[in-house]
Amino acid sequence: MSPLVEAALQPRKMPVQARSSVTVEAIAEATIQVLLAVGPDRLTTTRVAKRAGVSVGTLSPYYPNKRALLFSVMEQHLNFVADTVEETCERHHGQALAAMVGAVVRAFLDAKMRRPDVSTALYAVSAELDGPALVARIGNRARVALATMLGTAMDARFEELEFTTQMVYSAMAGTTRTVIEAGASAKMVRALRAELELMCVGYLEKAAARD
Amino acid sequence: MSPLVEAALQPRKMPVQARSSVTVEAIAEATIQVLLAVGPDRLTTTRVAKRAGVSVGTLSPYYPNKRALLFSVMEQHLNFVADTVEETCERHHGQALAAMVGAVVRAFLDAKMRRPDVSTALYAVSAELDGPALVARIGNRARVALATMLGTAMDARFEELEFTTQMVYSAMAGTTRTVIEAGASAKMVRALRAELELMCVGYLEKAAARD
DNA sequence: ACCTGAACACCGTTCAAGT
DNA sequence: ACCTGAACACCGTTCAAGT
């Protein structure tokens, strides 16, 4: 992430009068509504402006370009999730592992699911073309292969094989994605491999014990 | 995913002569090169056509719109990863869990890392605006909170606390993303919560035992 | 059958003029 | 200080004309 790119998403002018604060908020809300109504492709600056009840020209001082509109909406959402996780963590200091994990997982999912339509729309924005659908469709081949293999394990049996496999695959894809987006050095990839093995084995042993 | 959207990414005309097959391949390769050279925002149909040595009008019969260009590149990449995982799975049928997991994790990461520049560019495409950077920056707050909390656990100590935490968070975010993109029913979310707990606890127990 | 490239429609962004 | 909206530049897509 170059600072220049980030800078281009920051407002040129901050609202100083009450009037413009209202405008900025109306534009943000209009962006969400247009996004939900017509989708990311047909979201245009004119449409957002019209929905917010202002002229197109009003957008630029506060949202210097179209991406800034979506960026700010996503930022609000992510901040809400981060807030929720932080608070939950603080409330569980000093407790046992299982209690901590249970609470955090619950809080994280609850935050993501507070407005499922918005969460989904934001993933879609973040996804651009139909990447995720493609990932799901093609990743399915890998998941079927994984499930088939796990079904043959000499030392374990799984009741919920489909779902267990889905979890393993998602954890793999998700953590890898994070590492790649962080700028994947060879060392990081090696470390990731080791940790992912721990995670998958740890999970699968528990899943097999339960079933 | 509506079938209509998918259909709009399929070619209107398939290449029938050797000449046009070469053209189609050249356009796909040009798309990758332009993507790597100027990034997704400045990737234009004209630029791709010029790089491929054809006229803009030549694109449309085979790639009906700009998204189709990026879609086909991503499709190739994902198919390669799926192929690799499938083969590895087949080679490890009947082996012990630990061996299976080790092999698949390795194969998956190797496939993703064969051309790191392309992998990264495709995540960037899939990501549109700077969503991932934002996710990383804000998600960092949650990770710090998690690490701080885990450091206080009454029944475990972690050497590599930072990285361990990163893994837990990535697994949470990654699996959640998958479930959301699959169309998150309330039932699925509940199932996810239970599995994520198993996975996190299983992993953390192993990580604590090692350290 | 395949390719060209000018023409069209549309959208993001700006800025002189207003309140 | 804030907002308007016409004007501009640019890009995706098409299609009549060529080979």
Side-chain angles (χ1 to χ4, degrees):
Chain A
M1 269 306 308
S2 92
L4 276 172
V5 174
E6 288 279 6
L9 295 172
Q10 298 305 315
R12 256 188 282 283
K13 179 180 268 187
M14 295 298 285
V16 299
Q17 292 184 359
R19 173 168 55 140
S20 66
S21 287
V22 171
T23 301
V24 170
E25 182 49 43
I27 294 170
E29 181 58 31
T31 301
I32 296 179
Q33 295 193 11
V34 172
L35 185 62
L36 292 176
V38 305
D41 283 341
R42 291 172 57 222
L43 181 144
T44 66
T45 50
T46 314
R47 245 188 272 257
V48 170
K50 181 172 284 180
R51 180 96 198 192
V54 297
S55 163
V56 238
T58 307
L59 302 187
S60 50
Y62 311 110
Y63 302 91
N65 52 56
K66 183 182 163 178
R67 298 172 89 207
L69 289 171
L70 295 165
F71 193 85
S72 96
V73 167
M74 181 165 272
E75 195 169 30
Q76 265 185 266
H77 172 74
L78 292 173
N79 273 322
F80 173 73
V81 174
D83 288 343
T84 305
V85 171
E86 273 185 354
E87 287 164 19
T88 306
C89 283
E90 282 156 20
R91 276 203 311 277
H92 290 79
H93 277 197
Q95 302 204 3
L97 263 190
M100 289 174 163
V101 169
V104 172
V105 167
R106 168 182 283 271
F108 178 83
L109 288 173
D110 283 352
K112 280 281 181 199
M113 289 303 167
R114 200 181 50 142
R115 286 195 62 185
D117 54 347
V118 174
S119 283
T120 304
L122 289 178
Y123 275 131
V125 166
S126 165
E128 181 58 332
L129 43 87
D130 296 305
L134 189 61
V135 170
R137 187 148 50 75
I138 297 188
N140 197 49
R141 288 173 44 207
R143 284 204 308 279
V144 168
L146 258 174
T148 304
M149 176 183 74
L150 289 174
T152 71
M154 58 192 278
D155 56 351
R157 287 288 173 275
F158 303 97
E159 281 286 325
E160 303 275 5
L161 185 54
E162 295 281 309
F163 198 71
T164 299
T165 305
Q166 165 111 304
M167 288 296 297
V168 170
Y169 190 76
S170 297
M172 282 170 52
T175 51
T176 301
R177 176 172 195 146
T178 304
V179 169
I180 286 181
E181 282 171 354
S185 71
K187 194 180 151 197
M188 284 176 70
V189 174
R190 246 179 292 121
L192 173 62
R193 173 145 65 212
E195 295 305 299
L196 253 181
E197 285 196 34
L198 273 189
M199 178 173 277
C200 292
V201 172
Y203 170 61
L204 288 172
E205 286 178 0
K206 290 221 177 281
R210 170 200 55 187
D211 291 337
Chain B
M1 271 304 309
S2 90
L4 276 173
V5 174
E6 289 280 6
L9 295 171
Q10 298 306 315
R12 255 189 281 284
K13 177 181 270 189
M14 296 299 283
V16 299
Q17 291 184 0
R19 173 166 60 139
S20 67
S21 288
V22 171
T23 300
V24 169
E25 181 50 43
I27 293 170
E29 181 57 31
T31 302
I32 296 180
Q33 295 193 10
V34 172
L35 184 62
L36 292 176
V38 305
D41 284 340
R42 293 172 56 222
L43 181 144
T44 65
T45 51
T46 314
R47 245 187 271 259
V48 170
K50 181 171 285 180
R51 180 95 199 192
V54 297
S55 164
V56 238
T58 307
L59 302 187
S60 52
Y62 310 109
Y63 302 91
N65 52 55
K66 182 182 165 179
R67 298 172 89 207
L69 289 172
L70 295 165
F71 193 85
S72 95
V73 167
M74 180 166 273
E75 195 169 29
Q76 267 186 264
H77 171 75
L78 291 173
N79 273 321
F80 174 72
V81 174
D83 288 344
T84 305
V85 171
E86 274 185 353
E87 287 163 19
T88 305
C89 283
E90 282 156 20
R91 276 204 310 278
H92 290 78
H93 277 197
Q95 304 205 3
L97 261 190
M100 288 173 164
V101 168
V104 172
V105 167
R106 167 183 282 271
F108 178 82
L109 289 172
D110 283 352
K112 280 279 180 200
M113 289 304 166
R114 198 182 51 141
R115 286 195 62 186
D117 54 346
V118 175
S119 283
T120 305
L122 289 177
Y123 275 132
V125 165
S126 165
E128 182 57 331
L129 43 88
D130 296 305
L134 188 62
V135 169
R137 187 148 50 74
I138 297 188
N140 198 49
R141 288 173 45 208
R143 284 204 307 279
V144 169
L146 258 174
T148 305
M149 176 185 74
L150 289 174
T152 71
M154 57 191 279
D155 57 350
R157 287 288 173 276
F158 302 97
E159 281 286 325
E160 303 274 6
L161 185 54
E162 295 281 309
F163 198 72
T164 300
T165 306
Q166 165 110 304
M167 287 297 296
V168 170
Y169 189 76
S170 297
M172 282 170 52
T175 50
T176 301
R177 176 173 195 145
T178 304
V179 169
I180 286 180
E181 282 172 353
S185 71
K187 192 180 155 199
M188 284 176 69
V189 174
R190 245 178 293 120
L192 173 62
R193 174 146 65 214
E195 296 306 292
L196 252 182
E197 285 196 34
L198 272 191
M199 177 173 278
C200 292
V201 171
Y203 170 62
L204 288 172
E205 285 178 0
K206 290 221 176 279
R210 171 199 54 187
D211 293 336

